[in-house]
C-alpha cells in the first residue's frame, strides 16, 4: 500500500490518438500522452488518473490500457501518483487478474463501481463481489470511481463507509452531483479518520460546496482545459472567499461548453490554444464535427479564463518541451455524429 494520497487535483486524462490511415481504429500517440502528463503536473496536479472515462477507456484494448498507464508512470517519474482503472469486463476473478496486471504500472488501480454488479443487482451483491476482489488482489492499493457508463451506480454513504473500513481503498472519484448526498458521504467518512480513503469530487458544479464540507480535491473533465483553475480553488477556497466564489461561478457556467462534444472538445481546445501539443480531435468513441462557430466558442472560453486568471492572480501554464522516446505526432480530424458522451 502507498502512503496517504495528496489533497488537490487529479485530472482525468485524455488519450491522444494518431491519424487513422485505414479503416482500423487510430493508434494511441504515446509521446503526446507523455507530454500531456508533464503539462498536468506542471499545472499543479497532485496525481494523474489515466485509463478513465475521459481516456475513452472502453475503446482501448487491454494492452493499450496497460501501456497508457506505463507511459504516464514513466512521464510522471515519481513526481505524482498515477491511477488507472482496472475492472472491466468478465467475472470478478478475471477483473482481479487485470487489476494485478495493472498494479505493475499504476500506483493505484481504480475499481469502476458500475462493473462489479449489474444495474438490477443489489448493494449486497456489490459488496460480496468487492469482498472477493479484495481477496484476489492482496497488497494492491485501490481506488473507486462512480463511472456513469455503462450505467451510473452511486455508492451509498453506508457502502462508502464499508469501503473505507476495509483499509484497501485510498481514493474515490465521486459523481453524486448533488449537494446533500455529497455532504452525507463526506460525513460518513469522518469517523473513519484512520482509513486511507480520501474523497475527491468529479463534478465541478458542486466543487466549492464539497471543499467546504471537507473533501480532499477534484478529479473531473474540465481539468483537461485549465487545471490551474481547480488547483487554485482547492488551495484558496477558504482563504479568499470572494475570489473563490468568482472562480467557482466561472467553472460552473463554462462546464456546459466543456461537455459539448467531449472529449473531442478538450482536444480541440488544447490544439488551438497551445499549438505545441499537436493534438487534434481524434476520438474512438465517435466522430465529431467542429464548425467555425464551435471553435470560436472554445476560443472565447480561453479568453474568459485568461481574463479571470489576470483578475484573481492565477498563472496559466503553457506546455513545455518534453522529451519522448519517439517522434509520433497527434493529428487527425473528426467528422460526423455529435451525440452526447457520458462524462463525469
Amino acid at each position: 500500500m502507498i502512503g496517504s494520497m495528496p489533497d488537490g487535483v487529479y485530472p482525468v486524462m485524455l488519450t491522444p490518438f494518431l491519424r487513422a490511415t485505414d479503416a482500423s481504429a487510430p493508434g494511441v500517440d504515446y509521446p503526446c500522452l507523455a507530454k500531456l502528463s508533464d503539462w498536468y503536473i506542471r499545472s499543479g496536479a497532485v496525481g494523474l488518473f489515466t485509463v478513465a472515462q475521459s481516456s475513452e477507456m472502453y475503446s482501448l484494448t487491454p494492452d493499450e490500457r496497460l501501456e497508457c498507464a506505463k507511459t504516464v508512470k514513466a512521464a510522471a517519474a515519481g513526481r505524482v501518483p498515477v491511477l488507472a482503472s482496472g475492472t472491466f469486463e468478465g467475472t470478478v476473478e478475471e477483473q482481479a487478474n487485470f487489476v494485478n496486471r495493472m498494479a505493475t504500472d499504476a500506483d493505484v488501480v481504480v475499481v469502476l463501481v458500475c462493473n462489479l454488479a449489474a444495474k438490477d443487482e443489489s448493494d449486497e451483491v456489490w459488496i460480496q463481489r468487492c469482498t472477493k476482489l479484495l481477496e484476489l488482489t492482496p497488497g494492491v492499493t485501490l481506488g473507486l470511481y462512480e463511472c456513469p457508463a455503462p450505467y451510473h451506480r452511486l455508492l451509498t454513504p453506508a457502502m462508502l463507509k464499508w469501503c473505507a473500513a476495509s483499509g484497501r481503498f485510498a481514493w474515490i472519484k465521486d459523481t453524486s452531483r448533488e449537494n446533500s448526498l455529497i455532504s452525507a458521504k463526506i460525513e460518513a467518512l469522518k469517523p473513519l479518520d484512520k482509513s486511507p480513503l480520501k474523497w475527491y469530487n468529479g463534478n465541478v458544479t458542486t466543487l466549492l460546496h464539497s471543499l467546504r464540507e471537507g473533501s480532499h480535491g477534484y478529479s473531473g473533465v474540465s481539468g483537461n482545459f485549465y487545471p490551474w483553475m481547480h488547483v487554485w480553488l482547492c488551495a484558496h477556497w477558504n482563504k479568499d472567499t470572494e475570489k473563490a466564489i468568482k472562480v467557482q461561478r466561472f467553472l460552473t457556467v463554462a462546464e456546459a461548453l466543456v461537455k459539448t462534444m467531449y472529449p473531442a472538445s478538450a482536444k480541440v481546445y488544447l490544439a488551438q490554444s497551445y499549438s505545441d501539443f499537436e493534438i487534434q480531435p481524434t476520438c474512438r468513441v465517435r466522430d465529431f464535427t467542429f464548425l467555425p462557430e464551435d471553435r470560436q466558442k472554445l476560443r472565447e472560453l480561453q479568453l474568459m479564463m485568461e481574463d479571470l486568471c489576470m483578475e484573481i492572480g492565477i498563472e496559466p501554464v503553457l506546455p513545455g518541451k518534453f522529451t519522448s522516446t519517439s517522434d509520433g505526432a497527434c493529428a487527425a480530424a473528426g467528422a460526423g455524429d455529435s451525440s452526447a458522451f457520458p462524462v463525469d
Side-chain angles (χ1 to χ4, degrees):
M1 298 284 287
I2 67 171
S4 177
M5 301 295 284
D7 295 2
V9 175
Y10 292 72
V12 285
M13 296 183 63
L14 302 170
T15 299
F17 294 106
L18 296 163
R19 183 186 298 276
T21 56
D22 52 37
S24 61
V28 177
D29 188 333
Y30 295 108
C32 192
L33 179 61
K35 189 170 187 176
L36 275 171
S37 303
D38 181 66
W39 175 72
Y40 291 127
I41 295 170
R42 291 190 302 102
S43 297
V46 297
L48 300 177
F49 183 13
T50 186
V51 195
Q53 179 77 343
S54 292
S55 315
E56 302 175 68
M57 60 184 179
Y58 290 122
S59 299
L60 299 173
T61 68
D63 285 345
E64 286 173 332
R65 292 165 185 159
L66 294 168
E67 190 63 27
C68 282
K70 183 176 181 180
T71 298
V72 174
K73 183 74 178 290
R79 291 177 288 173
V80 300
V82 173
L83 303 85
S85 300
T87 56
F88 295 93
E89 60 283 330
T91 64
V92 173
E93 289 77 11
E94 290 169 327
Q95 291 181 7
N97 179 61
F98 192 76
V99 166
N100 289 324
R101 293 178 64 194
M102 182 62 83
T104 64
D105 296 312
D107 298 301
V108 177
V109 184
V110 177
V111 174
L112 302 172
V113 172
C114 58
N115 285 344
L116 278 185
K119 188 175 183 178
D120 60 352
E121 290 183 315
S122 68
D123 293 342
E124 290 71 24
V125 169
W126 190 94
I127 290 175
Q128 289 171 7
R129 294 201 182 124
C130 190
T131 300
K132 184 65 173 179
L133 183 74
L134 299 185
E135 294 172 354
L136 296 172
T137 57
V140 177
T141 301
L142 298 172
L144 293 157
Y145 170 26
E146 294 173 333
C147 181
Y151 77 98
H152 197 194
R153 189 182 195 109
L154 296 177
L155 296 174
T156 65
M159 293 169 72
L160 185 60
K161 193 172 183 178
W162 179 89
C163 291
S166 74
R168 290 291 307 280
F169 294 97
W171 185 93
I172 178 172
K173 175 182 173 178
D174 187 285
T175 61
S176 296
R177 310 171 185 164
E178 198 274 315
N179 283 342
S180 62
L181 181 54
I182 286 170
S183 298
K185 292 167 92 167
I186 294 175
E187 187 65 28
L189 292 177
K190 289 180 180 178
L192 299 169
D193 56 349
K194 302 299 183 182
S195 169
L197 181 59
K198 288 191 172 184
W199 191 100
Y200 302 83
N201 200 340
N203 175 256
V204 81
T205 301
T206 55
L207 178 55
L208 183 55
H209 170 81
S210 67
L211 291 169
R212 289 168 174 164
E213 292 295 288
S215 80
H216 299 99
Y218 174 70
S219 182
V221 299
S222 55
N224 287 308
F225 289 71
Y226 26 71
W228 46 82
M229 303 294 287
H230 313 86
V231 169
W232 185 92
L233 185 57
C234 287
H236 295 87
W237 66 270
N238 61 345
K239 298 174 184 175
D240 194 327
T241 55
E242 289 187 7
K243 288 182 178 179
I245 290 170
K246 281 189 175 183
V247 172
Q248 176 64 73
R249 184 175 296 129
F250 166 79
L251 293 173
T252 297
V253 175
E255 194 74 352
L257 183 55
V258 163
K259 290 185 174 181
T260 300
M261 294 192 284
Y262 186 83
S265 59
K267 297 178 181 182
V268 169
Y269 179 90
L270 293 179
Q272 68 182 30
S273 301
Y274 314 108
S275 58
D276 284 349
F277 270 133
E278 299 178 324
I279 182 172
Q280 293 295 321
T282 314
C283 295
R284 284 187 185 172
V285 288
R286 63 178 62 92
D287 293 330
F288 298 89
T289 298
F290 282 83
L291 302 174
E293 176 191 14
D294 301 317
R295 293 177 179 272
Q296 181 62 27
K297 288 176 182 177
L298 291 172
R299 174 60 179 160
E300 295 296 335
L301 175 64
Q302 180 193 2
L303 294 174
M304 287 181 64
M305 177 272 297
E306 290 174 349
D307 286 346
L308 183 58
C309 284
M310 185 172 296
E311 177 185 346
I312 301 296
I314 304 172
E315 187 69 30
V317 179
L318 300 178
K321 300 298 182 183
F322 187 79
T323 303
S324 59
T325 56
S326 67
D327 54 10
C330 315
D337 180 22
S338 61
S339 53
F341 177 70
V343 290
D344 248 334

